Amino acid sequence: MNPHPLHHMQTRHNRVVTRKLVLCLGISQLISWGVSYYLIGGFGQAIATELGWSQRVVYGGFALALMVMGLASTLAGRLIDRHGGRFVMTAGSLFNALGCASLAFCHALPVYWFAWICLGVGMRLTLYDAAFAALARIGGPQARTAMSQITLLGGLASTAFWPLGNLLTVEFGWRNALLFYCIFALLTIPLHLAIPANRHGHNGSALPAKPAAPRASSRSELILAGCLYALINAFTNFLNAGMSAHMIGILAGLGLVASASVWIATLRGVGQSLARLCEIAFGKRIDPSTLTLAACAMMPLPFLAGLYSGTSMTAAFAFAFLYGACNGILTITRGTLALDLFDHRTYGTFVGRLIAPSFMLSAAAPVIYASVIAQFGEKSGLYLSVALAVLMLIAALLLKLRFGKARR
Protein backbone atom coordinates (compact mmCIF):
# COMPACT_ATOMS: atom_id res chain seq x y z
CA MET A 1 0.00 0.00 0.00
CA ASN A 2 1.33 3.41 -0.92
CA PRO A 3 1.73 5.88 1.91
CA HIS A 4 -0.86 8.58 2.20
CA PRO A 5 0.05 11.73 0.17
CA LEU A 6 -0.10 13.75 3.37
CA HIS A 7 2.81 11.72 4.70
CA HIS A 8 4.93 12.73 1.71
CA MET A 9 4.10 16.38 2.21
CA GLN A 10 4.80 16.23 5.92
CA THR A 11 8.16 14.51 5.34
CA ARG A 12 9.15 17.13 2.79
CA HIS A 13 8.03 19.88 5.15
CA ASN A 14 9.98 18.54 8.10
CA ARG A 15 13.12 18.38 5.95
CA VAL A 16 12.98 22.09 5.15
CA VAL A 17 15.20 22.64 8.20
CA THR A 18 17.84 20.08 7.20
CA ARG A 19 20.70 18.62 9.19
CA LYS A 20 23.08 20.45 6.88
CA LEU A 21 21.43 23.78 7.70
CA VAL A 22 21.52 23.07 11.44
CA LEU A 23 25.22 22.18 11.20
CA CYS A 24 26.01 25.31 9.16
CA LEU A 25 24.19 27.56 11.62
CA GLY A 26 25.71 25.77 14.60
CA ILE A 27 29.25 26.32 13.28
CA SER A 28 28.45 29.93 12.38
CA GLN A 29 27.19 30.52 15.92
CA LEU A 30 30.39 29.08 17.39
CA ILE A 31 32.52 31.41 15.26
CA SER A 32 30.31 34.48 15.43
CA TRP A 33 30.01 34.43 19.23
CA GLY A 34 33.75 33.81 19.52
CA VAL A 35 34.87 36.71 17.30
CA SER A 36 32.36 39.25 18.62
CA TYR A 37 30.68 38.80 22.02
CA TYR A 38 33.62 37.04 23.67
CA LEU A 39 36.30 39.14 21.96
CA ILE A 40 36.61 41.64 24.82
CA GLY A 41 37.22 38.86 27.35
CA GLY A 42 40.22 37.64 25.40
CA PHE A 43 41.75 40.94 24.25
CA GLY A 44 40.49 43.62 26.64
CA GLN A 45 43.51 43.59 28.94
CA ALA A 46 46.03 43.53 26.08
CA ILE A 47 44.31 46.48 24.38
CA ALA A 48 44.27 48.49 27.61
CA THR A 49 47.94 47.75 28.32
CA GLU A 50 49.29 48.73 24.90
CA LEU A 51 47.11 51.78 24.29
CA GLY A 52 47.21 53.02 27.88
CA TRP A 53 43.45 53.33 28.16
CA SER A 54 41.44 52.75 31.33
CA GLN A 55 39.33 49.65 31.88
CA ARG A 56 36.22 51.83 31.71
CA VAL A 57 37.14 53.05 28.23
CA VAL A 58 38.14 49.63 26.91
CA TYR A 59 35.13 47.75 28.24
CA GLY A 60 32.91 50.71 27.41
CA GLY A 61 33.37 49.72 23.77
CA PHE A 62 31.61 46.43 24.48
CA ALA A 63 28.82 48.29 26.27
CA LEU A 64 28.45 50.50 23.19
CA ALA A 65 28.13 47.38 21.02
CA LEU A 66 25.32 46.05 23.23
CA MET A 67 23.50 49.37 22.95
CA VAL A 68 23.85 49.24 19.16
CA MET A 69 22.37 45.73 19.24
CA GLY A 70 19.32 47.12 20.99
CA LEU A 71 18.94 50.01 18.56
CA ALA A 72 19.28 47.69 15.55
CA SER A 73 17.09 44.92 16.94
CA THR A 74 13.70 45.77 15.43
CA LEU A 75 15.12 46.59 12.00
CA ALA A 76 17.17 43.38 11.98
CA GLY A 77 14.09 41.28 12.75
CA ARG A 78 12.07 43.05 10.06
CA LEU A 79 14.79 42.46 7.46
CA ILE A 80 14.89 38.74 8.25
CA ASP A 81 11.10 38.51 7.94
CA ARG A 82 11.23 40.18 4.54
CA HIS A 83 14.43 38.87 2.99
CA GLY A 84 15.42 35.82 5.04
CA GLY A 85 18.49 34.93 7.03
CA ARG A 86 20.79 34.41 4.03
CA PHE A 87 21.03 38.11 3.17
CA VAL A 88 20.93 39.47 6.71
CA MET A 89 23.33 37.04 8.39
CA THR A 90 25.83 37.32 5.52
CA ALA A 91 25.80 41.09 6.01
CA GLY A 92 26.41 40.44 9.70
CA SER A 93 29.51 38.40 8.86
CA LEU A 94 30.91 41.39 6.94
CA PHE A 95 30.18 43.74 9.87
CA ASN A 96 31.95 41.38 12.29
CA ALA A 97 34.96 41.18 9.97
CA LEU A 98 35.08 44.97 9.60
CA GLY A 99 34.86 45.41 13.37
CA CYS A 100 37.74 42.99 14.03
CA ALA A 101 39.89 44.59 11.33
CA SER A 102 39.18 48.08 12.68
CA LEU A 103 40.25 47.01 16.16
CA ALA A 104 43.44 45.52 14.73
CA PHE A 105 44.44 48.90 13.24
CA CYS A 106 43.05 51.00 16.07
CA HIS A 107 45.25 53.69 17.65
CA ALA A 108 42.64 56.33 18.54
CA LEU A 109 39.29 56.33 20.31
CA PRO A 110 37.13 57.28 17.28
CA VAL A 111 38.36 54.17 15.44
CA TYR A 112 37.81 52.10 18.59
CA TRP A 113 34.21 53.26 18.91
CA PHE A 114 33.63 52.68 15.19
CA ALA A 115 34.92 49.12 15.52
CA TRP A 116 32.50 48.33 18.35
CA ILE A 117 29.59 49.91 16.48
CA CYS A 118 30.35 47.55 13.60
CA LEU A 119 30.56 44.62 16.00
CA GLY A 120 27.28 45.64 17.62
CA VAL A 121 25.51 45.54 14.25
CA GLY A 122 27.30 42.31 13.36
CA MET A 123 26.28 40.63 16.63
CA ARG A 124 22.62 41.48 16.14
CA LEU A 125 22.71 40.16 12.57
CA THR A 126 24.57 36.90 13.32
CA LEU A 127 23.94 35.65 16.88
CA TYR A 128 21.14 33.52 18.30
CA ASP A 129 18.23 35.92 17.83
CA ALA A 130 18.97 36.36 14.13
CA ALA A 131 19.44 32.60 13.66
CA PHE A 132 16.22 31.87 15.56
CA ALA A 133 14.29 34.31 13.34
CA ALA A 134 15.80 32.76 10.21
CA LEU A 135 14.78 29.27 11.36
CA ALA A 136 11.27 30.46 12.26
CA ARG A 137 10.89 31.93 8.78
CA ILE A 138 11.97 28.66 7.16
CA GLY A 139 10.45 26.05 9.44
CA GLY A 140 7.54 27.83 11.10
CA PRO A 141 6.28 26.14 14.28
CA GLN A 142 8.45 23.08 13.52
CA ALA A 143 11.72 25.02 14.01
CA ARG A 144 11.89 24.40 17.76
CA THR A 145 14.29 21.44 17.65
CA ALA A 146 16.65 23.20 15.26
CA MET A 147 16.73 26.25 17.56
CA SER A 148 17.88 24.04 20.41
CA GLN A 149 20.47 22.22 18.34
CA ILE A 150 22.33 25.27 17.04
CA THR A 151 22.91 26.51 20.60
CA LEU A 152 25.12 23.51 21.41
CA LEU A 153 28.07 24.70 19.34
CA GLY A 154 27.40 28.35 20.13
CA GLY A 155 27.70 27.53 23.83
CA LEU A 156 31.29 26.39 23.28
CA ALA A 157 32.41 29.72 21.79
CA SER A 158 34.18 31.02 24.90
CA THR A 159 35.73 27.60 25.54
CA ALA A 160 37.20 27.59 22.04
CA PHE A 161 38.00 31.23 21.33
CA TRP A 162 39.41 32.44 24.66
CA PRO A 163 42.29 29.92 24.56
CA LEU A 164 42.65 30.45 20.79
CA GLY A 165 42.80 34.21 21.19
CA ASN A 166 45.39 33.88 23.93
CA LEU A 167 47.53 31.53 21.79
CA LEU A 168 47.38 33.85 18.78
CA THR A 169 48.23 36.85 20.97
CA VAL A 170 51.27 35.13 22.44
CA GLU A 171 52.52 34.04 19.01
CA PHE A 172 51.65 37.07 16.85
CA GLY A 173 50.45 39.90 19.12
CA TRP A 174 46.87 41.00 19.72
CA ARG A 175 46.60 43.08 16.54
CA ASN A 176 47.53 40.19 14.27
CA ALA A 177 45.33 37.90 16.35
CA LEU A 178 42.39 40.16 15.56
CA LEU A 179 43.20 39.91 11.86
CA PHE A 180 42.85 36.13 12.25
CA TYR A 181 39.48 36.81 13.87
CA CYS A 182 38.57 38.90 10.83
CA ILE A 183 39.32 35.88 8.63
CA PHE A 184 37.23 33.62 10.88
CA ALA A 185 34.32 36.06 10.56
CA LEU A 186 34.61 35.94 6.76
CA LEU A 187 34.57 32.13 6.88
CA THR A 188 30.98 32.29 8.16
CA ILE A 189 29.81 33.83 4.86
CA PRO A 190 29.45 30.48 3.00
CA LEU A 191 27.73 29.05 6.08
CA HIS A 192 25.14 31.83 5.97
CA LEU A 193 24.78 31.56 2.20
CA ALA A 194 23.61 27.97 2.80
CA ILE A 195 20.41 29.30 4.41
CA PRO A 196 17.51 28.66 1.98
CA ALA A 197 15.51 31.63 0.75
CA ASN A 198 12.12 29.93 1.01
CA ARG A 199 9.52 30.79 3.64
CA HIS A 200 7.34 28.41 5.64
CA GLY A 201 4.00 28.00 3.90
CA HIS A 202 5.35 28.88 0.45
CA ASN A 203 6.83 26.87 -2.42
CA GLY A 204 4.77 23.86 -1.44
CA SER A 205 6.45 23.43 1.93
CA ALA A 206 3.35 23.83 4.06
CA LEU A 207 0.98 21.12 5.18
CA PRO A 208 -2.58 21.31 3.91
CA ALA A 209 -3.80 21.09 7.48
CA LYS A 210 -4.10 24.37 9.30
CA PRO A 211 -1.21 24.78 11.78
CA ALA A 212 -1.85 25.43 15.45
CA ALA A 213 -2.59 29.06 16.16
CA PRO A 214 -0.16 31.04 18.32
CA ARG A 215 -1.16 31.19 21.96
CA ALA A 216 -1.30 35.00 21.90
CA SER A 217 -3.53 36.16 19.07
CA SER A 218 -5.73 39.06 20.20
CA ARG A 219 -4.29 42.52 20.78
CA SER A 220 -4.67 42.27 24.57
CA GLU A 221 -3.02 38.84 24.61
CA LEU A 222 -0.13 40.09 22.48
CA ILE A 223 0.45 43.01 24.83
CA LEU A 224 0.39 40.85 27.97
CA ALA A 225 2.46 38.01 26.53
CA GLY A 226 4.89 40.46 24.94
CA CYS A 227 5.44 42.37 28.18
CA LEU A 228 6.03 39.21 30.23
CA TYR A 229 8.31 37.74 27.57
CA ALA A 230 10.28 40.99 27.35
CA LEU A 231 10.68 41.15 31.15
CA ILE A 232 11.98 37.59 31.40
CA ASN A 233 14.52 38.17 28.65
CA ALA A 234 15.58 41.61 29.91
CA PHE A 235 16.40 40.22 33.36
CA THR A 236 18.04 37.11 31.85
CA ASN A 237 20.35 39.23 29.69
CA PHE A 238 21.08 41.60 32.59
CA LEU A 239 22.14 38.71 34.82
CA ASN A 240 24.15 37.14 31.98
CA ALA A 241 26.09 40.35 31.32
CA GLY A 242 26.62 40.95 35.03
CA MET A 243 27.82 37.43 35.76
CA SER A 244 30.03 37.36 32.65
CA ALA A 245 31.83 40.43 33.97
CA HIS A 246 31.84 39.76 37.72
CA MET A 247 31.38 36.07 38.60
CA ILE A 248 35.13 35.48 39.03
CA GLY A 249 35.50 38.71 41.02
CA ILE A 250 32.57 37.81 43.29
CA LEU A 251 34.02 34.38 44.03
CA ALA A 252 37.44 35.88 44.76
CA GLY A 253 35.95 38.68 46.86
CA LEU A 254 34.08 36.20 49.04
CA GLY A 255 37.31 34.42 49.98
CA LEU A 256 38.36 32.01 47.24
CA VAL A 257 41.88 32.27 45.87
CA ALA A 258 42.10 33.76 42.38
CA SER A 259 43.07 30.53 40.61
CA ALA A 260 40.20 28.60 42.20
CA SER A 261 37.76 31.37 41.28
CA VAL A 262 38.70 31.09 37.62
CA TRP A 263 38.33 27.35 37.23
CA ILE A 264 35.19 27.16 39.35
CA ALA A 265 33.63 29.86 37.15
CA THR A 266 34.25 27.63 34.12
CA LEU A 267 31.65 25.22 35.54
CA ARG A 268 29.12 27.73 34.26
CA GLY A 269 29.87 26.58 30.71
CA VAL A 270 29.63 22.92 31.73
CA GLY A 271 26.21 23.48 33.29
CA GLN A 272 25.06 25.43 30.25
CA SER A 273 26.07 22.71 27.78
CA LEU A 274 24.65 19.83 29.82
CA ALA A 275 21.33 21.63 30.29
CA ARG A 276 21.07 22.24 26.55
CA LEU A 277 21.80 18.58 25.81
CA CYS A 278 19.01 17.58 28.20
CA GLU A 279 16.63 20.02 26.52
CA ILE A 280 17.37 18.52 23.11
CA ALA A 281 16.91 14.98 24.44
CA PHE A 282 13.74 15.54 26.47
CA GLY A 283 12.55 19.07 25.73
CA LYS A 284 10.13 18.07 22.96
CA ARG A 285 7.87 16.61 25.64
CA ILE A 286 7.82 19.82 27.69
CA ASP A 287 5.84 22.92 26.84
CA PRO A 288 8.16 25.96 26.38
CA SER A 289 6.28 27.96 29.01
CA THR A 290 6.73 25.10 31.50
CA LEU A 291 10.44 24.85 30.68
CA THR A 292 10.82 28.62 31.12
CA LEU A 293 9.02 28.48 34.47
CA ALA A 294 11.22 25.60 35.66
CA ALA A 295 14.42 27.46 34.76
CA CYS A 296 13.19 30.66 36.41
CA ALA A 297 12.14 28.73 39.53
CA MET A 298 15.70 27.41 39.83
CA MET A 299 17.39 30.73 39.07
CA PRO A 300 17.43 32.14 42.65
CA LEU A 301 19.14 28.99 43.96
CA PRO A 302 22.63 29.50 42.48
CA PHE A 303 22.83 33.05 43.85
CA LEU A 304 21.71 31.91 47.29
CA ALA A 305 24.39 29.21 47.15
CA GLY A 306 26.87 31.86 46.09
CA LEU A 307 26.42 33.65 49.41
CA TYR A 308 28.22 30.73 51.08
CA SER A 309 30.85 30.14 48.39
CA GLY A 310 33.57 31.84 50.45
CA THR A 311 33.42 29.10 53.07
CA SER A 312 32.12 26.13 51.08
CA MET A 313 33.55 24.80 47.82
CA THR A 314 30.33 22.86 47.28
CA ALA A 315 28.36 26.10 47.41
CA ALA A 316 30.78 27.69 44.95
CA PHE A 317 30.37 24.75 42.57
CA ALA A 318 26.58 25.00 42.85
CA PHE A 319 26.69 28.75 42.19
CA ALA A 320 28.58 28.43 38.90
CA PHE A 321 27.08 25.16 37.63
CA LEU A 322 23.41 25.87 38.44
CA TYR A 323 23.57 29.39 37.07
CA GLY A 324 25.02 28.05 33.83
CA ALA A 325 22.28 25.41 33.59
CA CYS A 326 19.48 27.93 34.14
CA ASN A 327 20.97 30.41 31.69
CA GLY A 328 21.49 27.67 29.10
CA ILE A 329 17.83 26.67 29.19
CA LEU A 330 16.60 30.27 29.05
CA THR A 331 18.78 30.95 26.01
CA ILE A 332 16.89 28.21 24.16
CA THR A 333 13.43 29.15 25.39
CA ARG A 334 14.03 32.73 24.24
CA GLY A 335 13.50 31.30 20.76
CA THR A 336 11.10 28.40 21.36
CA LEU A 337 8.78 30.28 23.71
CA ALA A 338 8.42 33.14 21.23
CA LEU A 339 7.69 30.62 18.47
CA ASP A 340 4.94 29.15 20.64
CA LEU A 341 3.43 32.47 21.72
CA PHE A 342 3.58 34.59 18.58
CA ASP A 343 2.87 34.28 14.86
CA HIS A 344 5.90 32.75 13.13
CA ARG A 345 5.19 34.86 10.01
CA THR A 346 6.14 38.04 11.90
CA TYR A 347 8.55 36.39 14.35
CA GLY A 348 11.59 38.45 13.43
CA THR A 349 9.93 41.86 13.56
CA PHE A 350 7.84 41.30 16.69
CA VAL A 351 10.49 39.50 18.75
CA GLY A 352 13.14 41.97 17.58
CA ARG A 353 11.04 44.75 19.07
CA LEU A 354 10.52 42.87 22.34
CA ILE A 355 14.17 42.00 22.97
CA ALA A 356 15.56 45.45 22.10
CA PRO A 357 15.28 46.72 25.72
CA SER A 358 17.17 43.66 26.98
CA PHE A 359 20.26 44.63 24.98
CA MET A 360 20.13 48.17 26.31
CA LEU A 361 19.73 46.92 29.89
CA SER A 362 22.53 44.38 29.57
CA ALA A 363 24.88 47.15 28.41
CA ALA A 364 24.49 48.77 31.83
CA ALA A 365 24.76 45.56 33.85
CA PRO A 366 28.57 45.38 34.30
CA VAL A 367 28.66 49.00 35.47
CA ILE A 368 25.70 48.59 37.83
CA TYR A 369 27.15 45.44 39.37
CA ALA A 370 30.54 47.11 39.75
CA SER A 371 28.96 50.07 41.54
CA VAL A 372 26.86 47.91 43.86
CA ILE A 373 29.82 45.65 44.72
CA ALA A 374 32.16 48.60 45.29
CA GLN A 375 29.62 50.32 47.54
CA PHE A 376 28.20 47.39 49.52
CA GLY A 377 30.41 44.34 48.86
CA GLU A 378 30.25 41.15 46.82
CA LYS A 379 27.26 39.71 48.66
CA SER A 380 25.21 42.73 47.63
CA GLY A 381 25.72 41.73 43.99
CA LEU A 382 24.27 38.31 44.81
CA TYR A 383 21.32 39.86 46.68
CA LEU A 384 20.63 41.99 43.60
CA SER A 385 20.74 38.84 41.48
CA VAL A 386 18.29 37.03 43.78
CA ALA A 387 15.86 39.95 43.55
CA LEU A 388 16.00 39.95 39.75
CA ALA A 389 15.62 36.16 39.67
CA VAL A 390 12.46 36.40 41.80
CA LEU A 391 11.01 38.99 39.43
CA MET A 392 11.77 36.64 36.53
CA LEU A 393 9.99 33.83 38.37
CA ILE A 394 6.89 35.96 38.91
CA ALA A 395 6.79 36.92 35.22
CA ALA A 396 7.27 33.28 34.14
CA LEU A 397 4.53 32.12 36.51
CA LEU A 398 2.07 34.69 35.17
CA LEU A 399 2.96 33.68 31.62
CA LYS A 400 2.42 30.01 32.41
CA LEU A 401 -0.92 30.63 34.15
CA ARG A 402 -2.25 32.75 31.32
CA PHE A 403 -0.80 31.09 28.21
CA GLY A 404 0.37 27.65 29.34
CA LYS A 405 -2.88 25.78 28.79
CA ALA A 406 -2.92 23.18 26.05
CA ARG A 407 -4.25 24.37 22.71
CA ARG A 408 -7.00 22.64 20.84
Side-chain angles (χ1 to χ4, degrees):
M1 180 181 294
N2 292 328
H4 193 277
L6 178 60
H7 173 75
H8 285 298
M9 295 190 72
Q10 185 169 356
T11 300
R12 179 175 56 183
H13 170 75
N14 289 337
R15 288 179 179 173
V16 171
V17 182
T18 62
R19 292 180 180 177
K20 177 184 175 182
L21 176 59
V22 171
L23 180 61
C24 286
L25 283 178
I27 295 173
S28 82
Q29 289 303 296
L30 171 66
I31 297 174
S32 296
W33 278 93
V35 303
S36 59
Y37 193 91
Y38 292 113
L39 182 153
I40 192 67
F43 296 100
Q45 187 58 52
I47 293 172
T49 300
E50 178 175 320
L51 297 178
W53 294 343
S54 68
Q55 297 286 325
R56 175 179 293 183
V57 169
V58 172
Y59 288 89
F62 180 59
L64 174 62
L66 294 177
M67 292 179 64
V68 171
M69 288 182 73
L71 294 173
S73 185
T74 302
L75 177 60
R78 187 181 301 124
L79 288 173
I80 293 175
D81 281 342
R82 290 181 180 178
H83 304 289
R86 178 190 295 176
F87 162 76
V88 175
M89 297 187 74
T90 299
S93 298
L94 295 174
F95 273 104
N96 282 338
L98 179 59
C100 291
S102 299
L103 282 177
F105 293 102
C106 168
H107 292 278
L109 277 177
V111 179
Y112 188 72
W113 301 133
F114 171 79
W116 281 108
I117 290 172
C118 290
L119 286 169
V121 175
M123 286 192 286
R124 183 57 186 91
L125 299 185
T126 59
L127 301 187
Y128 286 144
D129 295 298
F132 290 162
L135 288 171
R137 185 181 189 272
I138 298 167
Q142 283 72 43
R144 173 178 175 175
T145 300
M147 288 180 175
S148 302
Q149 290 170 338
I150 67 169
T151 65
L152 286 178
L153 286 176
L156 298 174
S158 61
T159 304
F161 275 83
W162 278 346
L164 176 61
N166 180 69
L167 176 64
L168 292 172
T169 299
V170 171
E171 293 293 328
F172 306 105
W174 68 269
R175 293 186 184 275
N176 289 324
L178 283 170
L179 291 178
F180 279 104
Y181 271 37
C182 175
I183 296 172
F184 291 140
L186 293 174
L187 291 177
T188 63
I189 290 177
L191 300 174
H192 293 150
L193 289 176
I195 301 172
N198 58 290
R199 181 194 296 269
H200 177 78
H202 293 266
N203 301 325
S205 64
L207 294 172
K210 184 178 180 180
R215 295 183 188 270
S217 53
S218 68
R219 180 175 176 81
S220 60
E221 289 176 337
L222 283 172
I223 292 174
L224 178 59
C227 289
L228 293 174
Y229 174 85
L231 281 174
I232 293 170
N233 284 283
F235 292 141
T236 300
N237 283 356
F238 185 90
L239 288 172
N240 185 33
M243 289 300 103
S244 295
H246 295 287
M247 177 176 280
I248 294 174
I250 288 174
L251 288 169
L254 290 175
L256 293 179
V257 297
S259 58
S261 300
V262 172
W263 71 262
I264 288 175
T266 63
L267 291 174
R268 169 184 169 176
V270 177
Q272 184 167 268
S273 297
L274 288 178
R276 288 174 177 174
L277 281 173
C278 290
E279 198 282 337
I280 290 173
F282 309 108
K284 292 180 181 179
R285 309 171 188 175
I286 305 176
D287 182 85
S289 62
T290 302
L291 200 58
T292 300
L293 177 59
C296 289
M298 289 181 58
M299 186 62 90
L301 301 181
F303 302 117
L304 292 173
L307 294 171
Y308 303 96
S309 58
T311 56
S312 170
M313 292 293 284
T314 302
F317 294 157
F319 172 32
F321 182 86
L322 290 179
Y323 172 72
C326 294
N327 187 65
I329 292 296
L330 290 172
T331 299
I332 294 176
T333 60
R334 184 165 77 220
T336 59
L337 180 61
L339 194 62
D340 197 51
L341 288 172
F342 312 122
D343 190 341
H344 66 85
R345 293 169 296 183
T346 56
Y347 179 103
T349 302
F350 192 68
V351 174
R353 187 179 301 124
L354 292 177
I355 63 175
S358 70
F359 294 125
M360 307 295 286
L361 190 62
S362 63
V367 177
I368 292 175
Y369 268 95
S371 300
V372 170
I373 291 171
Q375 187 73 23
F376 304 105
E378 281 75 16
K379 286 190 175 182
S380 64
L382 295 174
Y383 288 129
L384 172 61
S385 301
V386 171
L388 294 175
V390 170
L391 292 176
M392 286 172 58
L393 174 57
I394 293 172
L397 180 60
L398 293 174
L399 192 67
K400 174 62 179 177
L401 292 175
R402 178 62 183 83
F403 298 99
K405 296 179 180 179
R407 292 176 289 189
R408 294 181 180 179

